[in-house]
């Protein structure tokens, strides 16, 4: 059985609000609603999520379509960027480049990419151990740790070139699928609008 890792789509950015508390923007929520309205979320699927608001909002919609609860874990959260707090987009992109380019170093106090990768890989493995082998699983999360997870399953080096912003659509709302049994990466970042039911076969 396969598993899908899905990133939250567009968010409401607010410098006065801690980033983990940002929710989906009107555009992001609309995309998520269209995704679940396509009836491709398998009934009974296990839905896992980061505890960050934007991921939880996506997960709640997906879980409603699956008819199952959201199983949230803070260890599925985005890379820890609290050392710098909110950064304007240009500065954020520069820091993200450093994060991926130097995975064994901390960029201005950010969680190191190698540590974030070990965290997300281990947490996803623990979550999947609780899922019956014939039940699909969907993870609702974030772009950076999702990229690190994809690099792990794809046996690829950590690189910004593997990021959803380089391969999927801008603003998030992309997914990739992997084989739960073999750990094989079965797709690259794909916009949620292009994910189809047979991905879960």
């Amino acid at each position: 059985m396969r598993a899908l890792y899905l990133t939250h789509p567009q968010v409401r950015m607010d410098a006065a609000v801690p980033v983990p508390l940002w929710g989906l923007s009107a555009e992001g929520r609309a995309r998520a609603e269209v995704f679940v309205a396509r009836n491709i979320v398998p009934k009974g699927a296990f839905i896992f999520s980061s505890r960050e608001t934007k991921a939880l909002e996506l997960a709640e919609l997906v879980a409603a379509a699956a008819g199952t609860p959201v199983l949230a874990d803070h260890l599925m959260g985005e890379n820890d960027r609290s050392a710098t707090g909110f950064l304007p987009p240009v500065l954020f992109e520069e820091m993200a480049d450093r994060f991926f380019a130097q995975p064994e170093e901390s960029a201005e106090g950010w969680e190191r990419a190698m540590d974030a990768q070990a965290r997300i890989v281990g947490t996803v493995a623990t979550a999947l151990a609780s899922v019956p082998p014939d039940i699909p699983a969907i993870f609702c999360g974030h772009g950076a740790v999702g990229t690190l997870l994809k690099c792990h399953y794809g046996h690829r080096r950590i690189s910004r070139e593997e990021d959803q912003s380089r391969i999927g659509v801008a603003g998030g709302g992309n997914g990739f699928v992997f084989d739960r049994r073999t750990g094989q990466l079965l797709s690259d970042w794909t916009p949620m609008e292009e994910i189809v039911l047979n991905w879960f076969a």
Side-chain angles (χ1 to χ4, degrees):
M1 186 58 69
R2 299 175 176 183
L4 170 68
Y5 189 93
L6 187 65
T7 66
H8 63 79
Q10 289 85 347
V11 301
R12 297 188 310 272
M13 298 176 63
D14 187 342
V17 176
V19 174
L21 299 181
W22 287 357
L24 297 177
S25 67
E27 180 184 4
R29 187 168 187 86
R31 289 184 65 204
E33 290 174 345
V34 168
F35 173 75
V36 299
R38 291 170 53 218
N39 294 319
I40 63 170
V41 175
K43 298 298 182 184
F46 276 49
I47 311 301
F48 297 96
S49 177
S50 156
R51 289 189 180 274
E52 296 189 30
T53 302
K54 46 193 174 285
L56 276 173
E57 290 181 354
L58 170 63
E60 287 164 358
L61 292 169
V62 175
T68 53
V70 175
L71 305 171
D73 189 335
H74 75 279
L75 291 176
M76 292 183 190
E78 185 60 292
N79 62 308
D80 185 352
R81 307 190 296 261
S82 58
T84 57
F86 172 80
L87 293 172
V90 173
L91 293 179
F92 174 82
E93 291 299 321
E94 292 176 358
M95 287 290 290
D97 286 343
R98 289 176 58 187
F99 172 79
F100 284 105
Q102 301 171 320
E104 298 182 358
E105 298 181 16
S106 171
E108 305 298 330
W110 280 20
E111 180 181 18
R112 298 186 304 172
M114 62 180 295
D115 295 330
Q117 184 180 56
R119 170 173 59 80
I120 192 64
V121 168
T123 305
V124 166
T126 298
L128 288 174
S130 69
V131 183
D134 59 338
I135 301 296
I138 300 175
F139 293 85
C140 297
H142 309 274
V145 291
T147 296
L148 297 173
L149 184 69
K150 188 195 76 167
C151 289
H152 168 78
Y153 286 126
H155 304 289
R156 304 172 183 178
R157 68 180 182 85
I158 293 173
S159 168
R160 190 84 198 268
E161 295 307 308
E162 300 290 346
D163 190 22
Q164 65 170 349
S165 65
R166 303 292 197 268
I167 299 170
V169 296
N174 300 288
F176 65 83
V177 67
F178 59 95
D179 187 291
R180 287 173 44 196
R181 183 178 60 83
T182 65
Q184 180 184 2
L185 182 67
L186 300 176
S187 78
D188 214 317
W189 287 121
T190 302
M192 56 172 40
E193 291 82 0
E194 299 176 18
I195 294 172
V196 293
L197 182 60
N198 66 10
W199 272 34
F200 300 98

